[in-house]
Amino acid sequence: MRIHLAAAAAGFLLLAGLGAAAADTVVIQPEQETVIKEYVKKQPLASLKLPGVELNVGTALPETVELHEVPNVKYRYTVIDNRTVVVDPETRKVIKIIQ
């Protein structure tokens, strides 16, 4: 009986860990993504270079990078290496790269 409880507890902890990891993933709703894309087209920015920074979803941008507001959207954007990057302003992490 103890072995079954230990296995069940280990399985639960594994699933709980997966759930926590999934909770870190930010999903932009299609409507918000459309609003962001349309706004970015109307408000183009000069592209920045960030030597030494590998640009991926989850990358935290340095404080020196200015993030620009999109009206009625909680996320911010900037352009790095000619790619529009959507950023969570609270964590400064890249949540979406728009080509």
Side-chain angles (χ1 to χ4, degrees), residues 28-45 68-73 75-79 83-87 95-99:
I28 299 175
Q29 297 302 315
E31 308 83 45
Q32 281 192 323
E33 187 169 341
T34 300
V35 168
I36 293 168
K37 285 180 179 180
E38 288 176 2
Y39 186 80
V40 166
K41 283 181 189 175
K42 294 176 187 172
Q43 305 294 325
L45 298 174
H68 300 270
E69 189 173 328
V70 178
N72 302 316
V73 176
Y75 305 112
R76 305 292 182 258
Y77 79 102
T78 191
V79 179
R83 297 187 289 175
T84 300
V85 179
V86 181
V87 180
I95 57 172
K96 179 97 176 168
I97 299 173
I98 301 172
Q99 300 299 331

Side-chain angles (χ1 to χ4, degrees), residues 9-93:
F12 175 76
L13 291 174
L14 178 63
L15 290 175
L18 291 175
D24 288 342
T25 304
V26 176
V27 177
I28 299 175
Q29 297 302 315
E31 308 83 45
Q32 281 192 323
E33 187 169 341
T34 300
V35 168
I36 293 168
K37 285 180 179 180
E38 288 176 2
Y39 186 80
V40 166
K41 283 181 189 175
K42 294 176 187 172
Q43 305 294 325
L45 298 174
S47 182
L48 304 172
K49 295 280 185 199
L50 291 178
V53 174
E54 189 173 331
L55 192 59
N56 293 307
V57 170
T59 299
L61 297 180
E63 291 290 327
T64 56
V65 174
E66 183 178 358
L67 304 178
H68 300 270
E69 189 173 328
V70 178
N72 302 316
V73 176
K74 78 174 211 173
Y75 305 112
R76 305 292 182 258
Y77 79 102
T78 191
V79 179
I80 300 172
D81 295 331
N82 296 315
R83 297 187 289 175
T84 300
V85 179
V86 181
V87 180
D88 181 337
E90 293 177 14
T91 63
R92 299 191 63 84
K93 287 184 179 180

